[in-house]
Amino acid sequence: MANSTQEAFHEVRSRRNSKEPRLRQANIVLDAVTEVIAQQYGAEKKQGGDFPLTAYFAALMSFLERRDSEGSMVAAIMFLLGKVLKHVSPAVLRSRSERVATLMCRVLTDHSEEPVACRWGIECGKMLLASLHPKQWAQSNKAAQKISSQAHLFRALLLFATDLRPRIRKSAQAGVADILEETAAGTNIEGDTTAIRPAMNHLGSIVKEVLVGELQQCTPKECQGAMFACGLLQKIIHVLPPAAARSVLDKLFELAAKGSPVLLIQSMKTAESLFSEDPNGSGDPDSKQSRSGKERDLQNRLILDSMDTVLAMRPHVADVDANLAYLKALLQGARSVCNDSDLIGMGGLSRVAAIVSTIHPALISPKGEVAKASATVLRAVMAECVPVIVDREAKAGTGVSYDEIVGAVVTILSYRYKTAWQHAFAIASSLLRKVDVTKLKSTARILLALDSLHQGTLSNKERKYLESAIEAAIMKSGIEAVLDVLPLELPTTNCNAIRDGGTLQSAFERSRSWLLPVMQSAVKNGPHRLAYFFQVIWPQLEEMEKTSNALPKIGKEAEAKMMAGLVEKIWECFPSFCVLPTDMYEALGKYAMPWAKSIQSRKDDAKSCGCICKGLASFVGSVSDGPGVGVGGSAEEDEDDDDAETKEDKKGPGYAERLLKLGV
């Protein structure tokens, strides 16, 4: 006990000779209190301050009961009391809570203009109320005829939470948050937790009464109190009972929709806190997951309704800060939905789609910061939320929300503002990196939109961003899926341009030769079959080679050069097909001989022969070193069975050796 006393007053006693008036006054009061305690104990004053802390607690409380004390004296007493309460047992505080709460209310009422007394009164009140057992709050709630002094003190702290003085306001807001969190967590109880919910409901009703009253006094032009209320809500919204939270938020959003941009910003930050599971990162056990079933449903409904309200509160296009806060809140709302199966089951996915549809016009905002922030939000939604939407809707057999998102992306790609194109291509890339075109056919609309833009007048930089989106699709869905939507249309006798009666020049123009460099870099990083190149591309390649050799004989030198250049680009794609194809061993057995013969027959063509040999080197390395499954292979192909791996490891070098024996 002596050590606790010394620890409590160490800071005060060590600065006895301080020039700061507050500390000098505190030492005077401490000496006087120690003198009184020494007389009560019948002993001489002890400089070491080794009397029990409870004695100091009782003596300081007695000093407070004197209403004729000056403000500076009360401030010193509250300062010392705050030091004592940090070391007093919660059980002692609970046993004297009624008396202490009454005195704290008196101090906060009589000395509200004295900053030090007020601030330490708030601190002491917080420590007292945070130590209460939930049953004490529940019992106070039942005694409707008489409001307890503890409830009066909590209401006083709430009033100071919207005080004009920053330090007072900050201290009160932190105190209210601590009280609610401690009560919700049941820190002061063991075993039975049934009293927690009635206690929280009682505290929630007080919060609702005070904050709604504060908001009702505000007007759209005079809304400073509402902004201070937002600061408090951002700290407590995650523990506030849903019914109380709804009443306060409804009033806040109603006022913010008509109020100043500053209030709108604070309202958006409050909504963001609501959408966050635990905004303070405290791991609060009273988060949504620990609520009762009924209350969890109420909380989920509150979140979804608040998302609808926020979506409708779109700020003015010229208000940068409000738009940034708006976008940030909506992103947190989308994440909240996709991380909670209950919210998804209550129609949350349609809200995510609505967020995408609402946000994308901001990409053409005249404010660069807003356009950039909206692009960041949309990319995050594509990367984090779209996979969840795809998975959930696939299980449900629907695709409404995903189709709406695809429609929004297509609309984004239709913007004719060059400033938006870079963002549009990045958004499309984020989606294509997550969705398999073969499983969701509507995704093809995005590929077709990209193809249409590529045919327009793009700068080299813009073209690079567009091609990165196609590259993402190839890496996720595979080259076959992409070419099924965007066929190469190589200038052969079977291409549409020739069959429609067009010229060879028109066939060159209508071909998607721009895909070839993209294929060269992307095919090896996605699921692909070597058989596709041999069965589909190789025959066209041989025809184009023959055409290239024949064109000079009929005087078409320019077309011959164009054809030869196109053939060269196609051959450059071949090595990429040879890196870990999904049909590695099947293709090896089927195409080893024609592969080898092709090398022998093209010894005089350094470019094509070099590409074929480079492909062979990549293939042999893949067979020798890889497990036999290409990038993006299925789970069945990429099995973890140790015996299967051993079998493949032994099989690979054998096939490589077989290929090399063919005389290559």
Side-chain angles (χ1 to χ4, degrees):
M1 182 64 72
N3 289 338
S4 297
T5 304
Q6 292 175 8
E7 183 179 350
F9 297 127
H10 173 72
E11 179 188 356
V12 179
R13 293 189 184 281
S14 64
R15 300 177 67 181
R16 178 179 294 275
N17 298 321
S18 173
K19 295 181 180 180
E20 187 176 346
R22 176 175 62 89
L23 288 173
R24 290 204 306 269
Q25 185 72 42
N27 272 289
I28 293 172
V29 173
L30 180 57
D31 289 341
V33 171
T34 304
E35 184 70 37
V36 170
I37 295 172
Q39 293 175 1
Q40 291 175 347
Y41 272 75
E44 293 183 0
K45 177 181 176 183
K46 299 185 179 180
Q47 295 293 336
D50 54 356
F51 294 111
L53 269 177
T54 51
Y56 282 95
F57 175 51
L60 289 168
M61 294 302 296
S62 298
F63 271 65
L64 278 181
E65 289 179 336
R66 298 169 56 183
R67 305 198 68 163
D68 57 347
S69 300
E70 295 181 356
S72 59
M73 178 68 72
V74 173
I77 295 172
M78 295 305 301
F79 173 68
L80 293 173
L81 187 60
K83 300 294 183 183
V84 170
L85 292 185
K86 291 180 180 179
H87 300 274
V88 171
S89 166
V92 174
L93 287 178
R94 285 196 291 270
S95 65
R96 295 168 174 79
S97 62
E98 189 74 27
R99 179 193 176 205
V100 176
T102 300
L103 290 175
M104 293 300 106
C105 287
R106 181 190 298 173
V107 169
L108 293 174
T109 301
D110 295 346
H111 302 280
S112 59
E113 301 303 319
E114 173 60 47
V116 177
C118 191
R119 195 165 67 250
W120 280 101
I122 291 170
E123 181 68 19
C124 293
K126 182 264 290 187
M127 286 187 280
L128 170 67
L129 298 182
S131 71
L132 296 182
H133 192 289
K135 286 184 178 179
Q136 292 175 277
W137 289 114
Q139 291 168 357
S140 173
N141 189 31
K142 291 179 181 178
Q145 311 91 321
K146 179 183 177 183
I147 300 176
S148 68
S149 58
Q150 295 95 325
H152 272 302
L153 178 57
F154 184 64
R155 182 178 282 102
L157 296 184
L158 283 166
L159 291 172
F160 278 108
T162 57
D163 194 89
L164 292 173
R165 294 166 292 183
R167 294 185 69 181
I168 299 294
R169 182 173 66 251
K170 183 178 179 180
S171 179
Q173 289 180 357
V176 170
D178 285 347
I179 293 165
L180 289 171
E181 288 174 357
E182 292 290 326
T183 305
T187 305
N188 303 311
I189 62 175
E190 294 181 2
D192 184 18
T193 60
T194 55
I196 292 179
R197 190 48 48 201
M200 288 301 298
N201 288 336
H202 180 44
L203 292 173
S205 66
I206 300 175
V207 172
K208 169 188 168 183
E209 176 189 341
V210 173
L211 293 188
V212 169
E214 182 69 40
L215 293 171
Q216 287 175 340
Q217 294 177 14
C218 296
T219 65
K221 293 184 178 180
E222 299 292 334
C223 55
Q224 192 172 42
M227 290 192 293
F228 295 156
C230 286
L232 174 61
L233 282 171
Q234 289 159 25
K235 293 180 173 64
I236 67 173
I237 196 71
H238 61 294
V239 292
L240 205 59
R246 179 179 290 275
S247 298
V248 178
L249 288 174
D250 286 348
K251 189 62 182 176
L252 173 63
F253 290 148
E254 178 186 348
L255 185 63
K258 305 173 184 176
S260 66
V262 178
L263 178 58
L264 184 59
I265 292 171
Q266 291 302 319
S267 300
M268 293 299 106
K269 290 182 177 180
T270 303
E272 182 186 354
S273 298
L274 171 67
F275 301 148
S276 302
E277 180 181 332
D278 185 7
N280 297 324
S282 59
D284 180 18
D286 191 58
S287 65
K288 190 170 55 174
Q289 284 72 14
S290 67
R291 298 178 189 267
S292 64
K294 180 180 179 181
E295 199 156 13
R296 188 161 55 246
D297 290 341
L298 291 174
Q299 182 74 2
N300 289 336
R301 181 51 56 192
L302 172 63
I303 289 174
L304 294 176
D305 290 347
S306 297
M307 287 179 66
D308 293 338
T309 303
V310 170
L311 277 167
M313 294 173 63
R314 189 170 178 178
H316 189 276
V317 66
D319 194 338
V320 175
D321 292 335
N323 273 283
L324 295 180
Y326 175 77
L327 292 168
K328 196 173 180 182
L330 289 179
L331 175 57
Q332 186 57 55
R335 285 171 169 162
S336 177
V337 167
C338 292
N339 289 330
D340 192 311
S341 58
D342 291 339
L343 287 173
I344 292 174
M346 297 173 69
L349 297 184
S350 63
R351 267 75 171 192
V352 178
I355 287 172
V356 175
S357 299
T358 303
I359 285 177
H360 73 73
L363 289 171
I364 55 176
S365 168
K367 303 295 183 180
E369 291 178 75
V370 175
K372 185 177 180 180
S374 64
T376 301
V377 170
L378 288 170
R379 290 177 65 183
V381 171
M382 300 303 158
E384 300 173 31
C385 301
V386 165
V388 177
I389 292 174
V390 169
D391 179 63
R392 290 285 181 161
E393 293 196 330
K395 292 177 181 177
T398 64
V400 177
S401 296
Y402 178 72
D403 289 346
E404 183 178 344
I405 290 174
V406 168
V409 175
V410 172
T411 301
I412 291 169
L413 292 171
S414 70
Y415 287 152
R416 295 308 177 190
Y417 297 88
K418 285 200 169 188
T419 53
W421 279 352
Q422 179 178 336
H423 296 316
F425 298 147
I427 292 164
S429 179
S430 297
L431 185 143
L432 293 171
R433 193 174 285 112
K434 296 293 182 179
V435 180
D436 191 337
V437 178
T438 59
K439 295 180 180 178
L440 290 163
K441 300 299 183 182
S442 59
T443 313
R445 295 172 58 197
I446 298 175
L447 294 177
L448 292 171
L450 290 168
D451 177 58
S452 176
L453 277 174
H454 199 282
Q455 297 173 17
T457 55
L458 296 178
S459 67
N460 291 334
K461 185 177 181 180
E462 291 163 349
R463 204 174 298 277
K464 180 180 178 182
Y465 284 119
L466 185 151
E467 291 174 356
S468 69
I470 299 294
E471 194 171 317
I474 293 174
M475 289 190 290
K476 175 62 180 179
S477 306
I479 185 61
E480 293 182 48
V482 174
L483 292 184
D484 187 50
V485 179
L486 304 176
L488 287 172
E489 289 288 346
L490 297 173
T492 64
T493 54
N494 289 324
C495 73
N496 290 329
I498 300 298
R499 284 188 296 181
D500 292 343
T503 63
L504 185 60
Q505 183 64 37
S506 66
F508 279 122
E509 292 173 355
R510 289 178 60 176
S511 71
R512 293 188 176 90
S513 57
W514 62 270
L515 279 173
L516 295 173
V518 181
M519 290 169 54
Q520 182 183 350
S521 61
V523 167
K524 61 186 175 184
N525 296 317
H528 60 279
R529 295 184 306 124
L530 187 57
Y532 183 79
F533 191 93
F534 278 103
Q535 293 173 359
V536 179
I537 300 178
W538 192 294
Q540 298 180 69
L541 193 53
E542 289 183 331
E543 180 184 338
M544 292 170 65
E545 286 179 326
K546 292 178 182 179
T547 304
S548 176
N549 294 330
L551 285 173
K553 298 177 182 179
I554 57 175
K556 294 188 175 182
E557 297 289 344
E559 288 84 348
K561 288 183 179 179
M562 293 174 64
M563 187 70 77
L566 194 55
V567 167
E568 183 180 335
K569 288 181 179 179
I570 298 172
W571 276 122
E572 288 173 349
C573 295
F574 180 65
S576 193
F577 279 86
C578 297
V579 177
L580 290 172
T582 55
D583 60 343
M584 181 178 289
Y585 299 115
E586 295 82 353
L588 181 59
K590 189 173 182 179
Y591 301 108
M593 186 61 70
W595 197 343
K597 289 182 178 180
S598 179
I599 295 177
Q600 293 173 343
S601 65
R602 297 172 185 274
K603 290 181 179 179
D604 297 332
D605 187 348
K607 292 181 179 178
S608 63
C609 186
C611 290
I612 296 173
C613 290
K614 186 177 179 181
L616 175 62
S618 300
F619 187 82
V620 171
S622 299
V623 176
S624 301
D625 302 330
V629 181
V631 177
S634 67
E636 293 178 355
E637 294 169 322
D638 199 12
E639 58 187 342
D640 294 327
D641 186 86
D642 293 337
D643 294 337
E645 286 189 5
T646 304
K647 181 179 179 181
E648 295 291 354
D649 288 342
K650 292 180 179 179
K651 184 179 179 181
Y655 269 86
E657 183 179 349
R658 173 186 170 188
L659 182 62
L660 293 173
K661 285 181 179 180
L662 294 175
V664 179

